[in-house]
Amino acid sequence: AQSVAQPEDQVNVAEGNPLTVKCTYSVSGNPYLFWYVQYPNRGLQFLLKYITGDNLVKGSYGFEAEFNKSQTSFHLKKPSALVSDSALYFCAVRLLYGGSQGNLIFGKGTKLSVKP
Amino acid sequence: EAGVAQSPRYKIIEKRQSVAFWCNPISGHATLYWYQQILGQGPKLLIQFQNNGVVDDSQLPKDRFSAERLKGVDSTLKIQPAKLEDSAVYLCASSLDLERGNTIYFGEGSWLTVV
């Protein structure tokens, strides 16, 4: 079965420090991986995706993610965190086949808290 | 480009009442999804449409939930009768098609509280 795991419920970081939000996946075939962010009382906003090509993917708001096939990971990173980055972050994999072809399977989410 | 539109944003109903949520996807997007997000969890698919046909509704509680996308554009999700455990955010999303490389875009969500 295809799945996504986010091992940390919460990540705390000081403003200006680098941040990492972890994600590991289990899929059949080549993974199509996505990161979304959810601010309080808002829907999900697309940040970035990995389809193929360079292992380092750049996205919105200065975020990037590193795809590592051998470790089956797709960690979200930002060199310098902002207080406004505080939100809930979701990693997701898009299904290739089956009844839900094209659907996204989400991790449980990681709450990022950036303190001044 | 306009995003995915959803209404109402917030709804409070008593258990056993009914509620309906409306979604207008991004123009030209053939695939439409309804997800349920319970507090503290990631979104889970309820139903997926490709144009006006259902791709997957295996996770939809059909005894109380129904959804339609009659003309292949707008969609409505209905709950009747509602239960306390239906309290959640109902997210509508759309994508160009089923191709995995295409991004799925989400609306702001419809927040349901059942009391």
Side-chain angles (χ1 to χ4, degrees):
Chain A
Q2 302 186 86
S3 63
V4 171
Q6 293 181 244
E8 302 155 318
D9 289 336
Q10 182 156 344
V11 170
N12 298 311
V13 64
E15 188 174 31
N17 283 0
L19 70 87
T20 298
V21 182
K22 296 180 180 178
C23 172
T24 59
Y25 63 89
S26 174
V27 301
S28 302
N30 294 324
Y32 281 41
L33 298 160
F34 297 75
W35 275 103
Y36 287 84
V37 59
Q38 187 174 36
Y39 296 99
N41 298 320
R42 304 294 298 276
L44 273 67
Q45 293 181 30
F46 168 71
L47 278 179
L48 51 79
K49 63 183 176 183
Y50 173 82
I51 299 174
T52 187
D54 289 342
N55 290 340
L56 186 63
V57 179
K58 294 190 183 296
S60 306
Y61 312 121
F63 283 92
E64 57 189 28
E66 187 171 9
F67 171 69
N68 188 315
K69 189 173 184 177
S70 62
Q71 296 185 6
T72 63
S73 67
F74 188 55
H75 299 333
L76 182 70
K77 300 181 179 184
K78 188 173 183 181
S80 179
L82 299 173
V83 172
S84 57
D85 292 330
S86 298
L88 194 55
Y89 290 80
F90 290 97
C91 182
V93 61
R94 196 158 185 201
L95 296 182
L96 170 62
Y97 54 83
S100 295
Q101 180 186 353
N103 177 32
L104 285 169
I105 302 296
F106 286 89
K108 62 179 172 61
T110 298
K111 183 179 178 181
L112 174 66
S113 179
V114 182
K115 300 295 185 185
Chain B
E1 179 180 89
V4 177
Q6 291 189 244
S7 68
R9 286 294 317 279
Y10 303 95
K11 192 76 175 178
I12 300 175
I13 63 172
E14 296 183 350
K15 59 184 179 183
R16 292 187 290 274
Q17 286 187 327
S18 63
V19 64
F21 301 115
W22 172 84
C23 173
N24 182 242
I26 292 172
S27 178
H29 280 196
T31 313
L32 185 147
Y33 312 78
W34 283 100
Y35 287 84
Q36 181 192 56
Q37 184 182 15
I38 293 173
L39 187 65
Q41 300 180 17
K44 289 184 170 59
L45 181 73
L46 289 174
I47 189 167
Q48 179 180 348
F49 293 94
Q50 179 70 4
N51 297 309
N52 60 352
V54 175
V55 174
D56 181 18
D57 64 356
S58 60
Q59 301 302 309
L60 189 72
K62 298 181 186 63
D63 58 334
R64 298 182 299 105
F65 286 65
S66 65
E68 61 184 14
R69 194 185 184 198
L70 293 176
K71 297 183 178 179
V73 180
D74 294 6
S75 177
T76 302
L77 176 70
K78 296 179 181 178
I79 307 174
Q80 182 180 12
K83 291 186 175 181
L84 295 177
E85 59 261 35
D86 297 333
S87 294
V89 183
Y90 291 87
L91 295 163
C92 181
S94 71
S95 62
L96 200 58
D97 53 34
L98 292 172
E99 166 57 44
R100 284 199 307 161
N102 290 326
T103 300
I104 296 179
Y105 295 95
F106 286 80
E108 291 291 292
S110 291
W111 301 69
L112 175 66
T113 301
V114 182
V115 298

